């Protein structure tokens, strides 16, 4: 069953949302069925307007072992951060 | 609905409502028994859609609970197709395919008109489009799957074929429906799906000799009585109770 019904990850963009958010996972024999199952499981109350399904096997995740080199920036090197610019007046969205 | 000035034809509301109610009950029997969890949810969703349709239709002409739980078998007006037992998964899908194609085409026609069922049909046609898609998807997979799944899909289609003729007998009160055109579209759509699935239209009579008129006249097949006994048991044991 795990061979014929692989795992899929489901991403749903909500009615007013700007981006797809990971909603959960499910089993399905192929992408078409995965979409339909996702519709049943994750958008039944019209939570979403767009669904992406991706085979879980296609997703490469960062490893917890690499967390430090990946995600811990050198906080003592302020020149790495773009904080030394004067923002011109009138620029409201930056 | 479209207003109280349009009289609801009781016979038609009963026929459409009973179709939805009875098929909903049959699909409910799958709960806990479907091949996979996701399919369990899909069948339950379809059952819930149908139950919603049944509640609206039966409420148009009386108390929905009384109509569902206190009528005898001979007073039900559903087609015999929907009362057929679930059988295996392919059998259930064959029943879904036949019926959802029919219901979708019929509701599309009713929604386009201005009769008393136009409002209900406009909502229901979105649901039936999904039911139809679900049945078509599974027909393709089972028909074009393994030898075993193909054999079972064909067996389900063959076994239920003789209940499909009744779908296109005119229903009293649905006067605007062109039943011949409905049947033509149904046959064309069915043929297209079965063709893609590597299957062909079943052969043989589409009505049993003994089944002339059949469900729409209150004449039902043997399994229906047992289904009703289970469905109505609690209400009949405690008449008048509220829940």
């Amino acid at each position: 069953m795990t061979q014929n019904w692989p795992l899929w990850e489901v991403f749903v963009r909500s009615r007013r949302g700007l981006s797809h958010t990971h909603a959960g996972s499910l089993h399905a024999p192929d992408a078409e069925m995965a979409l339909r199952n996702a519709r049943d499981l994750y958008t039944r109350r019209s939570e979403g307007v767009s669904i992406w399904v991706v085979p879980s096997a296609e997703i490469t995740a960062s490893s917890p072992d690499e967390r430090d080199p990946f995600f811990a920036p050198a906080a003592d090197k302020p020149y790495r951060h773009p904080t030394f610019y004067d923002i011109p007046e009138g620029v409201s969205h930056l | 609905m479209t207003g109280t000035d349009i009289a609801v034809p009781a016979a038609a509301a009963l026929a459409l409502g009973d179709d939805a109610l009875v098929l909903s009950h049959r699909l409910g029997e799958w709960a806990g028994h479907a091949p996979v969890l996701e399919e369990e949810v899909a069948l339950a969703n379809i059952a819930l859609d149908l139950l919603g349709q049944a509640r609206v239709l039966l409420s148009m002409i009386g108390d929905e609970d009384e109509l569902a739980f206190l009528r005898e078998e001979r007073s039900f007006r559903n087609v015999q197709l929907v009362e057929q037992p679930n059988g295996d998964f392919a059998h259930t899908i064959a029943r879904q395919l036949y019926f959802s194609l029919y219901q979708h085409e019929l509701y599309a026609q009713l929604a386009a008109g201005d009769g008393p069922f136009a409002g209900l049909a406009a909502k229901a046609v979105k649901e039936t489009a999904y039911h139809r898609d679900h049945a078509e998807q599974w027909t393709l997979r089972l028909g074009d799957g393994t030898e075993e799944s193909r054999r079972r899909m064909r067996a389900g289609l063959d076994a239920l074929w003789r209940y499909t003729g009744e779908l296109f007998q005119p229903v009293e009160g649905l006067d605007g429906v062109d039943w011949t055109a409905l049947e033509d579209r149904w046959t064309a759509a069915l043929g297209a799906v079965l063709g893609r699935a590597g299957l062909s239209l079943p052969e043989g009579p589409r009505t049993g000799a003994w089944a002339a008129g059949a469900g729409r006249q209150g004449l039902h097949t043997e399994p229906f009585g047992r289904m009703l006994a289970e469905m109505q048991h609690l209400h009949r044991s405690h008449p008048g109770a509220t829940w």
Side-chain angles (χ1 to χ4, degrees):
Chain A
M1 141 118 188
T2 44
Q3 280 177 346
N4 297 330
W5 286 69
L7 195 64
W8 299 73
E9 300 299 326
V10 180
F11 299 80
V12 175
R13 182 164 69 81
S14 64
R15 195 165 286 274
R16 292 169 169 277
L18 293 171
S19 58
H20 288 74
T21 307
H22 184 231
S25 49
L26 51 78
H27 290 277
D30 55 43
E32 290 294 303
M33 282 309 237
L35 264 187
R36 284 160 178 81
N37 291 344
R39 175 264 190 195
D40 282 346
L41 287 164
Y42 297 113
T43 73
R44 185 64 179 160
R45 293 167 209 87
S46 60
E47 292 96 334
V49 291
S50 170
I51 303 175
W52 291 347
V53 289
V54 183
S56 300
E58 292 296 320
I59 293 179
T60 307
S62 61
S63 156
D65 300 338
E66 297 171 323
R67 198 170 64 197
D68 276 356
F70 257 57
F71 301 118
D76 59 344
K77 299 191 181 80
Y79 51 83
R80 292 185 63 110
H81 305 290
T83 53
F84 296 96
Y85 301 98
D86 291 327
I87 296 170
E89 268 188 51
V91 177
S92 47
H93 303 292
L94 191 67
Chain B
M1 297 296 101
T2 45
T4 49
D5 50 331
I6 303 176
V8 174
L14 214 51
L16 300 181
D18 284 351
D19 281 353
L21 175 67
V22 170
L23 186 56
S24 169
H25 186 91
R26 282 297 189 207
L27 291 175
E29 293 173 354
W30 270 106
H33 301 281
V36 292
L37 188 60
E38 282 79 2
E39 194 47 36
E40 179 114 352
V41 175
L43 291 174
N45 270 334
I46 296 170
L48 289 172
D49 285 345
L50 290 168
L51 188 62
Q53 295 167 11
R55 293 189 61 182
V56 173
L57 285 158
L58 295 182
S59 297
M60 285 172 149
I61 51 173
D63 180 277
E64 52 179 304
D65 280 353
E66 267 181 37
L67 286 168
F69 294 122
L70 294 178
R71 271 183 300 153
E72 303 277 351
E73 182 183 330
R74 289 294 292 261
S75 306
F76 275 80
R77 290 292 180 265
N78 54 282
V79 289
Q80 291 182 347
L81 175 66
V82 296
E83 74 202 29
Q84 296 311 306
N86 288 332
D88 63 13
F89 186 67
H91 196 89
T92 289
I93 292 300
R95 191 185 60 198
Q96 287 301 111
L97 183 68
Y98 288 154
F99 184 74
S100 62
L101 276 173
Y102 158 77
Q103 202 191 20
H104 184 64
E105 296 289 355
L106 177 60
Y107 278 175
Q109 231 180 82
L110 292 176
D114 57 357
F117 300 111
L120 165 97
K123 283 185 196 166
V125 79
K126 293 179 199 161
E127 296 171 343
T128 57
Y130 175 71
H131 305 170
R132 174 180 173 164
D133 176 70
H134 173 267
E136 290 183 357
Q137 292 288 332
W138 274 116
T139 302
L140 296 181
R141 279 162 182 76
L142 295 172
D144 196 18
T146 64
E147 272 306 307
E148 174 76 359
S149 72
R150 172 196 294 271
R151 184 186 65 73
R152 289 188 184 220
M153 191 66 221
R154 186 176 288 145
L157 290 164
D158 287 346
L160 295 168
W161 182 242
R162 62 184 162 132
Y163 300 106
T164 58
E166 188 189 4
L167 298 173
F168 306 103
Q169 288 170 6
V171 174
E172 185 190 337
L174 298 182
D175 303 324
V177 175
D178 183 341
W179 295 94
T180 312
L182 189 72
E183 181 166 6
D184 289 345
R185 282 205 304 281
W186 182 87
T187 310
L190 181 68
V193 178
L194 295 182
R196 284 177 62 203
L199 300 162
S200 50
L201 280 174
E203 290 169 9
R206 296 180 56 197
T207 48
W210 51 275
R216 291 278 188 246
Q217 274 74 50
L219 302 174
H220 294 283
T221 55
E222 193 183 344
F224 186 50
R226 289 195 289 275
M227 194 209 97
L228 275 190
E230 186 176 320
M231 188 178 98
Q232 299 180 334
H233 163 73
L234 194 68
H235 196 286
R236 290 187 183 277
S237 304
H238 303 277
T242 53
W243 59 78

